[in-house]
Amino acid sequence: MRIVSYNVRYFGHGLKGLASTAASKSRIAEALSALDPLPDLVALQEVETKSLRSRLAVRDAHPAENQLEGFLRHLGNDFKRLGRVMPYRAWYFPAHVYRLGPIKLYTTGLAMLVNSQRLEVISDNGHRPHAITHHRSESLKQVKQTRIAAHLRLEDLQGRRFHLFNTHLSLPTPWAKEFWAQPQKMGFGTNQLAEARAVAQYAQVTAKHEPYLVVGDFNTAPATPVYRYLTEDAKLRGAQEQLKQIDLERPDAFATAGFMRLRMHLDHVFASGDLGFIDLKDTHTFGDRSGPFSGLSDHVPLIATFELG
């Protein structure tokens, strides 16, 4: 099976994240539908519902359409153009809402797409995503963006069951003294470590004896305390490390995100011991213009083929 994990920046990269655009949805949908083979699972980070930001610059949106529905409409159009059946169903996992009175300025959340021709969803936590936010103090709790772990329990055509967990960890907090003592930041935050523990423990308790994947934007570089907790203490295996796409001795050599001239490795695909990674075809470093997703977000997707057993 094949999975894509991708931070789509609210489909607003064309306007530097200020507002979502139809063109961004269309181009990402086109790149996704062109993958060969098609992914069985797509885990998206930074997806909105309805808000001022999600609709301000979108001219073709239907009045009742939320951001994920708009993206699925573009994806469906691409499959229709290719003469193929649209195979995906989607699940949305709300995280946070920023309001000005009754007006939703912008919202945050995660989404997952499942190829229904290959997999069946047994259960999900979309009605109540698992909260993982680390609150350093009660005074900041109201302004801190909520972080969650989204979950799907899946079954393949052979009746084998496994789990997918999708997440987006916080940035390292500047309110901890360790933030200023450490020159490198991403993956060294005490709050990030607490959230990584929350995700890993939730996955272990929920999956029980069944295999699982944990994917997303971890805001964490390889070989950092957060990465080492996930791969050593939580006993997860990173696809890029296992397949030698990255070297922990050179953690900055492969970038999955960028800001101006800054390049960072923030995104990961992890698996429990009962899942094996086969390849990372179509995964390109950020800034590689030959990749099909080049210029569509401030992140690039990680695309991994895996097998059960």
Side-chain angles (χ1 to χ4, degrees):
M1 284 172 282
R2 202 175 196 208
I3 184 169
V4 173
S5 179
Y6 191 19
N7 183 325
V8 295
R9 200 183 184 184
Y10 306 107
F11 302 102
H13 190 62
L15 295 179
K16 309 300 181 185
L18 295 175
S20 173
T21 65
S24 181
K25 295 191 193 78
S26 177
R27 292 178 66 196
I28 291 175
E30 184 178 358
L32 190 63
S33 63
L35 290 175
D36 184 21
L38 280 176
D40 301 288
L41 295 163
V42 181
L44 303 176
Q45 301 87 45
E46 295 194 0
V47 180
E48 285 216 54
T49 50
K50 289 181 183 178
S51 72
L52 186 64
R53 181 177 66 175
S54 72
R55 301 181 64 84
L56 185 64
V58 177
R59 304 303 179 196
D60 70 339
H62 297 230
E65 188 177 75
N66 62 35
Q67 189 173 80
L68 182 58
E69 290 167 343
F71 175 64
L72 289 174
R73 177 166 54 84
H74 285 284
L75 193 58
N77 289 340
D78 277 310
F79 279 101
K80 185 177 180 179
R81 176 178 54 81
L82 295 168
R84 302 167 69 179
V85 175
M86 163 73 163
Y88 292 109
R89 293 180 61 200
W91 280 257
Y92 185 74
F93 305 83
H96 200 87
V97 179
Y98 288 95
R99 296 179 181 272
L100 183 60
I103 301 172
K104 292 182 180 179
L105 297 176
Y106 69 94
T107 62
T108 67
L110 307 171
M112 292 197 272
L113 279 58
V114 177
N115 187 331
S116 58
Q117 296 174 353
R118 304 249 301 162
L119 291 167
E120 180 182 356
V121 174
I122 304 300
S123 62
D124 68 273
N125 70 351
H127 62 289
R128 191 177 181 181
H130 184 69
I132 62 165
T133 320
H134 175 70
H135 297 288
R136 188 173 178 85
S137 69
E138 287 297 317
S139 61
L140 296 174
K141 193 171 184 178
Q142 298 303 314
V143 297
K144 177 74 175 72
Q145 187 179 116
T146 303
R147 302 291 178 167
I148 61 172
H151 169 241
L152 295 178
R153 189 184 185 209
L154 302 135
E155 183 175 274
D156 70 3
L157 298 177
Q158 287 74 46
R160 298 175 297 183
R161 294 186 174 184
F162 67 102
H163 300 253
L164 174 60
F165 299 89
N166 182 17
T167 195
H168 186 182
L169 300 191
S170 297
L171 293 167
T173 177
W175 303 107
K177 63 180 181 180
E178 296 88 351
F179 179 87
W180 304 105
Q182 169 65 43
Q184 297 183 10
K185 311 299 182 186
M186 310 302 273
F188 288 87
T190 54
N191 61 318
Q192 293 184 300
L193 190 56
E195 291 179 358
R197 286 196 183 99
V199 171
Q201 290 168 5
Y202 174 62
Q204 290 167 355
V205 169
T206 304
K208 299 183 174 66
H209 61 281
E210 295 175 329
Y212 59 93
L213 294 155
V214 182
V215 307
D217 177 356
F218 291 81
N219 279 314
T220 293
T224 59
V226 171
Y227 185 92
R228 293 198 180 280
Y229 166 78
L230 291 168
T231 55
E232 295 174 7
D233 296 359
K235 302 188 185 307
L236 297 173
R237 287 174 293 101
Q240 290 180 286
E241 181 183 358
Q242 179 185 325
L243 297 174
K244 311 300 182 185
Q245 191 174 63
I246 62 170
D247 180 356
L248 297 190
E249 298 298 322
R250 301 174 61 239
D252 299 329
F254 192 104
T256 67
F259 175 72
M260 299 182 73
R261 294 188 178 183
L262 181 63
R263 298 290 180 265
M264 300 165 285
H265 191 149
L266 306 178
D267 307 85
H268 303 280
V269 172
F270 296 108
S272 69
D274 296 325
L275 286 170
F277 293 111
I278 298 172
D279 68 53
L280 288 157
K281 178 188 173 186
D282 296 319
T283 296
H284 296 263
T285 187
F286 187 88
D288 181 353
R289 295 187 179 183
S290 67
F293 294 87
S294 176
L296 303 186
S297 174
D298 57 349
H299 290 247
V300 290
L302 297 185
I303 305 172
T305 304
F306 65 95
E307 61 181 351
L308 294 169

